[in-house]
Short mmCIF file of all heavy atoms in Angstrom, two decimals:
data_model
loop_
_atom_site.label_atom_id
_atom_site.label_comp_id
_atom_site.label_asym_id
_atom_site.label_seq_id
_atom_site.Cartn_x
_atom_site.Cartn_y
_atom_site.Cartn_z
N ALA A 1 7.89 -70.73 -17.47
CA ALA A 1 8.42 -70.29 -16.23
C ALA A 1 8.25 -71.39 -15.23
O ALA A 1 7.07 -71.74 -14.95
CB ALA A 1 7.66 -69.01 -15.81
N GLU A 2 9.30 -72.04 -14.80
CA GLU A 2 9.21 -73.19 -13.86
C GLU A 2 9.11 -72.67 -12.53
O GLU A 2 10.09 -72.09 -11.95
CB GLU A 2 10.41 -74.09 -14.09
CG GLU A 2 10.44 -74.76 -15.47
CD GLU A 2 11.65 -75.72 -15.65
OE1 GLU A 2 12.35 -75.94 -14.71
OE2 GLU A 2 11.82 -76.23 -16.74
N GLY A 3 7.97 -72.82 -11.92
CA GLY A 3 7.80 -72.31 -10.56
C GLY A 3 7.54 -70.80 -10.59
O GLY A 3 7.38 -70.22 -11.66
N ALA A 4 7.41 -70.20 -9.42
CA ALA A 4 7.15 -68.79 -9.32
C ALA A 4 8.43 -68.02 -9.60
O ALA A 4 9.42 -68.29 -8.96
CB ALA A 4 6.54 -68.49 -7.98
N LEU A 5 8.31 -67.03 -10.45
CA LEU A 5 9.46 -66.07 -10.66
C LEU A 5 9.23 -64.88 -9.74
O LEU A 5 8.15 -64.41 -9.58
CB LEU A 5 9.48 -65.65 -12.12
CG LEU A 5 9.79 -66.70 -13.18
CD1 LEU A 5 9.77 -66.04 -14.56
CD2 LEU A 5 11.01 -67.44 -12.95
N PRO A 6 10.30 -64.46 -9.08
CA PRO A 6 10.19 -63.27 -8.20
C PRO A 6 9.82 -62.04 -8.98
O PRO A 6 10.22 -61.84 -10.12
CB PRO A 6 11.53 -63.16 -7.56
CG PRO A 6 12.47 -63.82 -8.46
CD PRO A 6 11.69 -64.90 -9.19
N GLU A 7 8.95 -61.23 -8.40
CA GLU A 7 8.56 -59.99 -9.08
C GLU A 7 9.76 -59.03 -9.19
O GLU A 7 9.93 -58.33 -10.22
CB GLU A 7 7.43 -59.29 -8.27
CG GLU A 7 6.10 -60.04 -8.36
CD GLU A 7 5.57 -60.23 -9.79
OE1 GLU A 7 5.64 -59.31 -10.55
OE2 GLU A 7 5.20 -61.34 -10.13
N VAL A 8 10.54 -58.92 -8.10
CA VAL A 8 11.66 -57.99 -8.07
C VAL A 8 12.94 -58.75 -7.62
O VAL A 8 12.89 -59.48 -6.68
CB VAL A 8 11.37 -56.79 -7.15
CG1 VAL A 8 12.53 -55.83 -7.05
CG2 VAL A 8 10.13 -56.07 -7.60
N VAL A 9 14.04 -58.44 -8.34
CA VAL A 9 15.40 -58.95 -7.94
C VAL A 9 16.33 -57.76 -8.11
O VAL A 9 16.09 -56.73 -8.81
CB VAL A 9 15.81 -60.13 -8.76
CG1 VAL A 9 14.89 -61.31 -8.61
CG2 VAL A 9 16.05 -59.75 -10.22
N ARG A 10 17.56 -57.88 -7.49
CA ARG A 10 18.60 -56.92 -7.73
C ARG A 10 19.45 -57.47 -8.83
O ARG A 10 20.02 -58.58 -8.72
CB ARG A 10 19.47 -56.73 -6.50
CG ARG A 10 18.75 -55.92 -5.40
CD ARG A 10 19.63 -55.53 -4.23
NE ARG A 10 20.87 -54.95 -4.61
CZ ARG A 10 21.07 -53.63 -4.93
NH1 ARG A 10 20.08 -52.84 -4.90
NH2 ARG A 10 22.26 -53.16 -5.23
N ALA A 11 19.60 -56.71 -9.88
CA ALA A 11 20.37 -57.13 -11.11
C ALA A 11 20.62 -55.95 -11.94
O ALA A 11 20.08 -54.86 -11.74
CB ALA A 11 19.61 -58.18 -11.90
N ASP A 12 21.50 -56.13 -12.92
CA ASP A 12 21.75 -55.11 -13.99
C ASP A 12 20.71 -55.42 -15.09
O ASP A 12 20.94 -56.28 -15.93
CB ASP A 12 23.21 -55.19 -14.48
CG ASP A 12 23.55 -54.10 -15.45
OD1 ASP A 12 22.67 -53.69 -16.23
OD2 ASP A 12 24.70 -53.62 -15.43
N GLU A 13 19.66 -54.70 -15.08
CA GLU A 13 18.55 -54.98 -16.01
C GLU A 13 18.97 -54.86 -17.44
O GLU A 13 18.60 -55.68 -18.28
CB GLU A 13 17.38 -54.01 -15.79
CG GLU A 13 16.19 -54.34 -16.69
CD GLU A 13 15.01 -53.47 -16.33
OE1 GLU A 13 15.06 -52.67 -15.42
OE2 GLU A 13 13.97 -53.66 -17.09
N LYS A 14 19.79 -53.85 -17.81
CA LYS A 14 20.25 -53.67 -19.19
C LYS A 14 21.05 -54.89 -19.61
O LYS A 14 20.82 -55.38 -20.74
CB LYS A 14 21.10 -52.39 -19.24
CG LYS A 14 21.68 -52.17 -20.60
CD LYS A 14 22.59 -50.91 -20.59
CE LYS A 14 23.37 -50.84 -21.88
NZ LYS A 14 24.35 -49.77 -21.81
N ARG A 15 21.98 -55.36 -18.80
CA ARG A 15 22.79 -56.53 -19.15
C ARG A 15 22.01 -57.81 -19.29
O ARG A 15 22.18 -58.57 -20.17
CB ARG A 15 23.95 -56.71 -18.20
CG ARG A 15 24.82 -55.53 -18.01
CD ARG A 15 25.71 -55.27 -19.14
NE ARG A 15 26.58 -54.14 -18.90
CZ ARG A 15 26.70 -53.10 -19.67
NH1 ARG A 15 26.10 -53.07 -20.84
NH2 ARG A 15 27.45 -52.09 -19.38
N LEU A 16 21.09 -57.97 -18.29
CA LEU A 16 20.26 -59.16 -18.32
C LEU A 16 19.41 -59.19 -19.59
O LEU A 16 19.32 -60.22 -20.31
CB LEU A 16 19.35 -59.20 -17.07
CG LEU A 16 18.35 -60.40 -17.10
CD1 LEU A 16 19.10 -61.73 -17.10
CD2 LEU A 16 17.45 -60.32 -15.83
N ARG A 17 18.73 -58.08 -19.89
CA ARG A 17 17.90 -57.99 -21.08
C ARG A 17 18.80 -58.27 -22.34
O ARG A 17 18.39 -58.98 -23.22
CB ARG A 17 17.32 -56.59 -21.13
CG ARG A 17 16.14 -56.49 -22.01
CD ARG A 17 15.55 -55.06 -21.94
NE ARG A 17 14.69 -54.83 -20.78
CZ ARG A 17 13.43 -55.14 -20.76
NH1 ARG A 17 12.84 -55.64 -21.80
NH2 ARG A 17 12.69 -54.82 -19.69
N GLN A 18 19.95 -57.68 -22.38
CA GLN A 18 20.89 -57.84 -23.52
C GLN A 18 21.27 -59.33 -23.70
O GLN A 18 21.28 -59.82 -24.82
CB GLN A 18 22.14 -56.97 -23.29
CG GLN A 18 23.10 -57.00 -24.39
CD GLN A 18 24.33 -56.07 -24.10
OE1 GLN A 18 24.56 -55.70 -22.96
NE2 GLN A 18 25.04 -55.72 -25.13
N ILE A 19 21.55 -60.00 -22.61
CA ILE A 19 21.95 -61.38 -22.66
C ILE A 19 20.76 -62.26 -23.25
O ILE A 19 20.92 -63.07 -24.10
CB ILE A 19 22.43 -61.93 -21.27
CG1 ILE A 19 23.76 -61.32 -20.95
CG2 ILE A 19 22.49 -63.43 -21.27
CD1 ILE A 19 24.14 -61.50 -19.46
N LEU A 20 19.59 -62.02 -22.66
CA LEU A 20 18.42 -62.83 -23.09
C LEU A 20 18.10 -62.51 -24.59
O LEU A 20 17.85 -63.43 -25.36
CB LEU A 20 17.18 -62.49 -22.26
CG LEU A 20 17.28 -62.94 -20.76
CD1 LEU A 20 16.06 -62.42 -19.95
CD2 LEU A 20 17.48 -64.43 -20.68
N ILE A 21 18.17 -61.24 -24.98
CA ILE A 21 17.93 -60.92 -26.36
C ILE A 21 18.94 -61.52 -27.28
O ILE A 21 18.61 -62.04 -28.34
CB ILE A 21 17.84 -59.36 -26.48
CG1 ILE A 21 16.53 -58.85 -25.92
CG2 ILE A 21 17.97 -58.95 -27.99
CD1 ILE A 21 16.44 -57.35 -25.81
N ASN A 22 20.22 -61.54 -26.95
CA ASN A 22 21.24 -62.12 -27.80
C ASN A 22 21.03 -63.64 -27.88
O ASN A 22 21.11 -64.14 -28.97
CB ASN A 22 22.61 -61.80 -27.26
CG ASN A 22 23.05 -60.41 -27.42
OD1 ASN A 22 22.46 -59.64 -28.16
ND2 ASN A 22 24.12 -59.96 -26.73
N LEU A 23 20.77 -64.26 -26.80
CA LEU A 23 20.60 -65.74 -26.83
C LEU A 23 19.38 -66.15 -27.63
O LEU A 23 19.40 -67.04 -28.46
CB LEU A 23 20.48 -66.29 -25.43
CG LEU A 23 21.80 -66.30 -24.57
CD1 LEU A 23 21.53 -66.62 -23.11
CD2 LEU A 23 22.85 -67.14 -25.18
N LEU A 24 18.24 -65.52 -27.32
CA LEU A 24 17.03 -65.88 -28.05
C LEU A 24 17.10 -65.43 -29.50
O LEU A 24 16.57 -66.10 -30.42
CB LEU A 24 15.79 -65.24 -27.35
CG LEU A 24 15.44 -65.86 -26.05
CD1 LEU A 24 14.44 -65.09 -25.25
CD2 LEU A 24 14.89 -67.30 -26.30
N GLY A 25 17.65 -64.30 -29.76
CA GLY A 25 17.81 -63.84 -31.16
C GLY A 25 18.60 -64.81 -31.97
O GLY A 25 18.26 -65.12 -33.11
N ASN A 26 19.74 -65.30 -31.41
CA ASN A 26 20.54 -66.27 -32.12
C ASN A 26 19.79 -67.54 -32.31
O ASN A 26 19.86 -68.23 -33.36
CB ASN A 26 21.84 -66.54 -31.41
CG ASN A 26 22.79 -65.42 -31.62
OD1 ASN A 26 22.71 -64.63 -32.54
ND2 ASN A 26 23.82 -65.34 -30.78
N ALA A 27 19.00 -68.03 -31.27
CA ALA A 27 18.27 -69.29 -31.39
C ALA A 27 17.30 -69.22 -32.56
O ALA A 27 17.17 -70.09 -33.35
CB ALA A 27 17.52 -69.61 -30.08
N ILE A 28 16.56 -68.04 -32.64
CA ILE A 28 15.64 -67.93 -33.77
C ILE A 28 16.32 -67.73 -35.05
O ILE A 28 15.93 -68.36 -36.14
CB ILE A 28 14.62 -66.76 -33.41
CG1 ILE A 28 13.76 -67.21 -32.27
CG2 ILE A 28 13.78 -66.41 -34.63
CD1 ILE A 28 12.84 -66.16 -31.67
N LYS A 29 17.35 -66.94 -35.10
CA LYS A 29 18.10 -66.64 -36.31
C LYS A 29 18.66 -67.92 -36.99
O LYS A 29 18.58 -68.07 -38.17
CB LYS A 29 19.24 -65.68 -36.03
CG LYS A 29 20.06 -65.33 -37.24
CD LYS A 29 21.11 -64.39 -36.80
CE LYS A 29 22.06 -63.95 -37.93
NZ LYS A 29 23.08 -63.04 -37.48
N PHE A 30 19.18 -68.79 -36.17
CA PHE A 30 19.88 -70.01 -36.68
C PHE A 30 19.00 -71.27 -36.70
O PHE A 30 19.52 -72.30 -36.87
CB PHE A 30 21.17 -70.26 -35.89
CG PHE A 30 22.17 -69.14 -36.17
CD1 PHE A 30 22.50 -68.23 -35.15
CD2 PHE A 30 22.76 -68.96 -37.39
CE1 PHE A 30 23.37 -67.23 -35.38
CE2 PHE A 30 23.62 -67.93 -37.67
CZ PHE A 30 23.96 -67.05 -36.64
N THR A 31 17.70 -71.10 -36.43
CA THR A 31 16.79 -72.26 -36.50
C THR A 31 15.94 -72.12 -37.74
O THR A 31 15.18 -71.19 -37.89
CB THR A 31 15.89 -72.32 -35.25
OG1 THR A 31 16.75 -72.44 -34.13
CG2 THR A 31 14.94 -73.51 -35.35
N ALA A 32 16.14 -73.08 -38.66
CA ALA A 32 15.45 -73.01 -39.91
C ALA A 32 13.95 -73.53 -39.80
O ALA A 32 13.07 -73.01 -40.44
CB ALA A 32 16.15 -73.79 -41.00
N ALA A 33 13.78 -74.57 -38.97
CA ALA A 33 12.44 -75.10 -38.78
C ALA A 33 12.43 -75.74 -37.39
O ALA A 33 13.43 -76.12 -36.88
CB ALA A 33 12.21 -76.20 -39.86
#
């Protein structure tokens, strides 16, 4: 976390969570080592 992350923001939590999960899931899935 570069710098302070805000405790609360206005966003679509479901979509944000889904995007992060998809991106990180793919990164781990397709990284062999």
Side-chain angles (χ1 to χ4, degrees):
E2 296 181 3
L5 298 180
E7 291 300 315
V8 177
V9 298
R10 285 188 53 81
D12 186 323
E13 182 174 0
K14 177 184 170 187
R15 303 287 181 233
L16 175 61
R17 198 177 280 273
Q18 183 179 18
I19 289 166
L20 293 175
I21 287 170
N22 288 346
L23 290 171
L24 288 167
N26 283 342
I28 291 171
K29 179 180 179 180
F30 294 109
T31 299

